[in-house]
PDB file of all heavy atoms in Angstrom:
ATOM      1  N   SER A 101     -53.875   7.970  68.248  1.00 34.00           N
ATOM      2  CA  SER A 101     -54.921   8.863  68.724  1.00 34.00           C
ATOM      3  C   SER A 101     -54.677  10.298  68.321  1.00 34.00           C
ATOM      4  O   SER A 101     -55.555  11.129  68.405  1.00 34.00           O
ATOM      5  CB  SER A 101     -55.053   8.748  70.252  1.00 34.00           C
ATOM      6  OG  SER A 101     -53.816   9.119  70.860  1.00 34.00           O
ATOM      7  N   ASN A 102     -53.432  10.601  67.926  1.00 39.00           N
ATOM      8  CA  ASN A 102     -53.122  11.983  67.542  1.00 39.00           C
ATOM      9  C   ASN A 102     -53.667  12.309  66.156  1.00 39.00           C
ATOM     10  O   ASN A 102     -53.708  13.452  65.742  1.00 39.00           O
ATOM     11  CB  ASN A 102     -51.612  12.232  67.551  1.00 39.00           C
ATOM     12  CG  ASN A 102     -51.048  12.186  68.955  1.00 39.00           C
ATOM     13  OD1 ASN A 102     -51.769  12.457  69.913  1.00 39.00           O
ATOM     14  ND2 ASN A 102     -49.774  11.844  69.068  1.00 39.00           N
ATOM     15  N   LEU A 103     -54.013  11.276  65.347  1.00 38.00           N
ATOM     16  CA  LEU A 103     -54.525  11.504  64.003  1.00 38.00           C
ATOM     17  C   LEU A 103     -56.011  11.159  63.983  1.00 38.00           C
ATOM     18  O   LEU A 103     -56.468  10.283  64.686  1.00 38.00           O
ATOM     19  CB  LEU A 103     -53.761  10.654  62.981  1.00 38.00           C
ATOM     20  CG  LEU A 103     -52.281  10.966  62.853  1.00 38.00           C
ATOM     21  CD1 LEU A 103     -51.639  10.008  61.880  1.00 38.00           C
ATOM     22  CD2 LEU A 103     -52.098  12.409  62.394  1.00 38.00           C
ATOM     23  N   THR A 104     -56.717  11.793  63.140  1.00 35.00           N
ATOM     24  CA  THR A 104     -58.160  11.583  63.006  1.00 35.00           C
ATOM     25  C   THR A 104     -58.415  10.732  61.797  1.00 35.00           C
ATOM     26  O   THR A 104     -57.490  10.308  61.130  1.00 35.00           O
ATOM     27  CB  THR A 104     -58.882  12.934  62.879  1.00 35.00           C
ATOM     28  OG1 THR A 104     -58.425  13.566  61.703  1.00 35.00           O
ATOM     29  CG2 THR A 104     -58.616  13.814  64.072  1.00 35.00           C
ATOM     30  N   ALA A 105     -59.682  10.504  61.576  1.00 33.00           N
ATOM     31  CA  ALA A 105     -60.061   9.736  60.380  1.00 33.00           C
ATOM     32  C   ALA A 105     -59.640  10.489  59.136  1.00 33.00           C
ATOM     33  O   ALA A 105     -59.455  11.699  59.169  1.00 33.00           O
ATOM     34  CB  ALA A 105     -61.580   9.513  60.362  1.00 33.00           C
ATOM     35  N   ALA A 106     -59.491   9.754  58.043  1.00 34.00           N
ATOM     36  CA  ALA A 106     -58.989  10.349  56.793  1.00 34.00           C
ATOM     37  C   ALA A 106     -59.919  11.465  56.345  1.00 34.00           C
ATOM     38  O   ALA A 106     -61.123  11.313  56.341  1.00 34.00           O
ATOM     39  CB  ALA A 106     -58.910   9.298  55.705  1.00 34.00           C
ATOM     40  N   GLY A 107     -59.342  12.633  56.008  1.00 37.00           N
ATOM     41  CA  GLY A 107     -60.115  13.748  55.483  1.00 37.00           C
ATOM     42  C   GLY A 107     -60.447  14.769  56.535  1.00 37.00           C
ATOM     43  O   GLY A 107     -61.025  15.797  56.216  1.00 37.00           O
ATOM     44  N   ARG A 108     -60.098  14.587  57.844  1.00 37.00           N
ATOM     45  CA  ARG A 108     -60.390  15.581  58.879  1.00 37.00           C
ATOM     46  C   ARG A 108     -59.112  16.045  59.543  1.00 37.00           C
ATOM     47  O   ARG A 108     -58.169  15.268  59.707  1.00 37.00           O
ATOM     48  CB  ARG A 108     -61.339  14.989  59.919  1.00 37.00           C
ATOM     49  CG  ARG A 108     -62.721  14.712  59.358  1.00 37.00           C
ATOM     50  CD  ARG A 108     -63.610  14.148  60.435  1.00 37.00           C
ATOM     51  NE  ARG A 108     -63.103  12.852  60.910  1.00 37.00           N
ATOM     52  CZ  ARG A 108     -63.667  12.179  61.900  1.00 37.00           C
ATOM     53  NH1 ARG A 108     -64.716  12.654  62.541  1.00 37.00           N
ATOM     54  NH2 ARG A 108     -63.164  11.016  62.265  1.00 37.00           N
ATOM     55  N   ARG A 109     -59.073  17.277  59.955  1.00 38.00           N
ATOM     56  CA  ARG A 109     -57.888  17.826  60.599  1.00 38.00           C
ATOM     57  C   ARG A 109     -57.834  17.374  62.048  1.00 38.00           C
ATOM     58  O   ARG A 109     -58.847  17.110  62.667  1.00 38.00           O
ATOM     59  CB  ARG A 109     -57.901  19.360  60.553  1.00 38.00           C
ATOM     60  CG  ARG A 109     -57.598  19.915  59.184  1.00 38.00           C
ATOM     61  CD  ARG A 109     -57.447  21.427  59.256  1.00 38.00           C
ATOM     62  NE  ARG A 109     -57.036  21.962  58.011  1.00 38.00           N
ATOM     63  CZ  ARG A 109     -55.769  22.033  57.597  1.00 38.00           C
ATOM     64  NH1 ARG A 109     -54.823  21.589  58.393  1.00 38.00           N
ATOM     65  NH2 ARG A 109     -55.464  22.562  56.440  1.00 38.00           N
ATOM     66  N   PRO A 110     -56.629  17.277  62.634  1.00 37.00           N
ATOM     67  CA  PRO A 110     -56.514  16.960  64.065  1.00 37.00           C
ATOM     68  C   PRO A 110     -57.188  18.019  64.896  1.00 37.00           C
ATOM     69  O   PRO A 110     -57.318  19.173  64.488  1.00 37.00           O
ATOM     70  CB  PRO A 110     -55.006  16.911  64.267  1.00 37.00           C
ATOM     71  CG  PRO A 110     -54.420  16.630  62.919  1.00 37.00           C
ATOM     72  CD  PRO A 110     -55.338  17.309  61.973  1.00 37.00           C
ATOM     73  N   LYS A 111     -57.563  17.625  66.142  1.00 35.00           N
ATOM     74  CA  LYS A 111     -58.339  18.521  67.008  1.00 35.00           C
ATOM     75  C   LYS A 111     -57.486  19.653  67.551  1.00 35.00           C
ATOM     76  O   LYS A 111     -58.040  20.649  67.993  1.00 35.00           O
ATOM     77  CB  LYS A 111     -58.924  17.721  68.175  1.00 35.00           C
ATOM     78  CG  LYS A 111     -59.901  16.637  67.723  1.00 35.00           C
ATOM     79  CD  LYS A 111     -60.430  15.867  68.907  1.00 35.00           C
ATOM     80  CE  LYS A 111     -61.427  14.802  68.481  1.00 35.00           C
ATOM     81  NZ  LYS A 111     -61.936  14.036  69.632  1.00 35.00           N
ATOM     82  N   GLN A 112     -56.155  19.544  67.567  1.00 38.00           N
ATOM     83  CA  GLN A 112     -55.340  20.575  68.223  1.00 38.00           C
ATOM     84  C   GLN A 112     -55.574  21.945  67.605  1.00 38.00           C
ATOM     85  O   GLN A 112     -55.512  22.973  68.288  1.00 38.00           O
ATOM     86  CB  GLN A 112     -53.845  20.227  68.099  1.00 38.00           C
ATOM     87  CG  GLN A 112     -53.425  19.055  68.982  1.00 38.00           C
ATOM     88  CD  GLN A 112     -53.544  17.762  68.229  1.00 38.00           C
ATOM     89  OE1 GLN A 112     -54.385  17.636  67.361  1.00 38.00           O
ATOM     90  NE2 GLN A 112     -52.717  16.778  68.604  1.00 38.00           N
ATOM     91  N   CYS A 113     -55.758  21.991  66.209  1.00 31.00           N
ATOM     92  CA  CYS A 113     -55.838  23.292  65.563  1.00 31.00           C
ATOM     93  C   CYS A 113     -57.136  24.007  65.856  1.00 31.00           C
ATOM     94  O   CYS A 113     -57.263  25.193  65.605  1.00 31.00           O
ATOM     95  CB  CYS A 113     -55.681  23.134  64.052  1.00 31.00           C
ATOM     96  SG  CYS A 113     -54.039  22.524  63.628  1.00 31.00           S
ATOM     97  N   SER A 114     -58.157  23.305  66.373  1.00 33.00           N
ATOM     98  CA  SER A 114     -59.443  23.947  66.639  1.00 33.00           C
ATOM     99  C   SER A 114     -59.593  24.361  68.096  1.00 33.00           C
ATOM    100  O   SER A 114     -60.558  25.003  68.463  1.00 33.00           O
ATOM    101  CB  SER A 114     -60.595  22.995  66.256  1.00 33.00           C
ATOM    102  OG  SER A 114     -60.476  21.804  67.031  1.00 33.00           O
ATOM    103  N   GLN A 115     -58.636  24.020  68.986  1.00 33.00           N
ATOM    104  CA  GLN A 115     -58.744  24.366  70.398  1.00 33.00           C
ATOM    105  C   GLN A 115     -58.260  25.792  70.591  1.00 33.00           C
ATOM    106  O   GLN A 115     -57.264  26.201  70.010  1.00 33.00           O
ATOM    107  CB  GLN A 115     -57.905  23.409  71.239  1.00 33.00           C
ATOM    108  CG  GLN A 115     -58.456  21.975  71.210  1.00 33.00           C
ATOM    109  CD  GLN A 115     -57.578  21.016  71.980  1.00 33.00           C
ATOM    110  OE1 GLN A 115     -56.523  21.413  72.434  1.00 33.00           O
ATOM    111  NE2 GLN A 115     -58.041  19.796  72.130  1.00 33.00           N
ATOM    112  N   PRO A 116     -58.880  26.564  71.421  1.00 32.00           N
ATOM    113  CA  PRO A 116     -58.481  27.974  71.613  1.00 32.00           C
ATOM    114  C   PRO A 116     -57.220  28.093  72.404  1.00 32.00           C
ATOM    115  O   PRO A 116     -56.503  29.083  72.260  1.00 32.00           O
ATOM    116  CB  PRO A 116     -59.676  28.572  72.333  1.00 32.00           C
ATOM    117  CG  PRO A 116     -60.294  27.421  73.026  1.00 32.00           C
ATOM    118  CD  PRO A 116     -60.113  26.236  72.186  1.00 32.00           C
TER     119      PRO A 116
END
Side-chain angles (χ1 to χ4, degrees):
S101 61
N102 292 334
L103 296 177
T104 62
R108 292 181 297 177
R109 286 187 174 275
K111 297 179 179 180
Q112 288 91 330
C113 295
S114 60
Q115 293 177 354

